[in-house]
Every structure is written in C-alpha cells, then in structure tokens.
C-alpha cells in the first residue's frame, strides 16, 4: 500500500524533467524496487535541481516512476554509466549516492500494477 508521501509524489507533483534509464535500470527500479544508480542512466531531459521531482523513463519514453532527484540536471551527464564506487574514488565521497533513492521513488500507472502482480 502506498504511503502518503508516495501518493503525494505520484499525484500532487509535476515532474521538472526526466531521467532516461537503460533496460537493466528499468527492471531494477520497476521489479526490484531498487534505487536509481548513475550506472543505469542514459540521458537527462529538462532543467531541474536536486530535490525536484523527475520522471524516470524507459528508452521508449514511457514514464515508469517518479522520484526526487539527488543531483542537478547539469551534474548527471558526467555521472551517467559510472558506478557509485568509481564516482566516490574519482570525485569524492559526496558522489557515492543514488540519482534517486528508492525511499523517494514511486512507480507510476501500469508499471505499478505489473509490479504488484509480480512482473515488470
């Protein structure tokens, strides 16, 4: 059952941009209820700041989730495709964090229904 925070995120916020995920990240977020890590990001759309709501989309453009992003839009391209360990080692420990933490993420529409039935 969605929490009040998740209901707010899904229905009372407007996305300020989008983060496009590779197929592995789509599976991890949708089926595994995982956080979105930089390694799974392939593209950033829009102009948003850390803390803003963003849509998480597959490569076909379908919104699968909405979450509160931990980075500004301009920071993410330098992080895309990299592991959090690599980022921490090369850029510092403040970069060893998720793009969107799973506690700040809610599945949208059909994705949520498929996840509840056990598929992605």
């Amino acid at each position: 059952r969605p929490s009040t925070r998740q209901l707010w995120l899904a229905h009372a916020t407007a996305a300020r941009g989008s983060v496009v995920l590779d197929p592995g990240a789509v599976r991890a977020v949708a089926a595994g209820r995982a956080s979105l890590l930089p390694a799974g990001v392939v593209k950033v759309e829009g102009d948003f700041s850390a803390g803003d709501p963003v849509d998480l989309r597959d490569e076909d453009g379908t919104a699968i989730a909405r979450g509160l992003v931990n980075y500004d839009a301009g920071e993410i391209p330098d992080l895309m495709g990299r592991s959090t360990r690599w980022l921490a080692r090369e850029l510092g420990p403040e970069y060893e964090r998720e793009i969107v933490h799973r506690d700040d993420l809610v599945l949208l529409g059909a994705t949520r229904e498929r996840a509840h039935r056990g598929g992605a």
Side-chain angles (χ1 to χ4, degrees):
R1 175 167 213 151
S3 69
T4 303
R5 180 177 169 86
Q6 290 172 320
L7 290 170
W8 165 79
L9 189 55
H11 302 291
T13 62
R16 308 265 182 178
S18 297
V19 177
V20 180
L21 286 56
D22 68 22
V26 169
R27 280 190 303 277
V29 167
R33 300 272 201 279
S35 297
L36 175 60
L37 301 176
V41 176
V42 296
K43 185 177 178 183
V44 176
E45 300 170 336
D47 184 24
F48 52 83
S49 299
D52 284 345
V54 297
D55 283 343
L56 307 184
R57 297 184 180 277
D58 64 18
E59 291 182 286
D60 294 328
T62 303
I64 61 160
R66 182 167 298 148
L68 301 178
V69 69
N70 288 321
Y71 295 94
D72 296 342
E75 292 178 287
I76 296 175
D78 292 336
L79 311 177
M80 293 186 322
R82 309 240 188 231
S83 75
T84 52
R85 284 191 182 133
W86 185 92
L87 291 166
R89 186 178 63 245
E90 297 297 318
L91 302 176
E94 65 273 16
Y95 286 92
E96 192 171 18
R97 60 184 169 173
E98 306 83 357
I99 300 289
V100 177
H101 191 277
R102 69 182 183 181
D103 291 345
D104 295 324
L105 184 147
V106 63
L107 298 179
L108 298 175
T111 304
R112 182 177 60 240
E113 297 305 318
R114 283 194 308 271
H116 285 207
R117 290 193 313 266

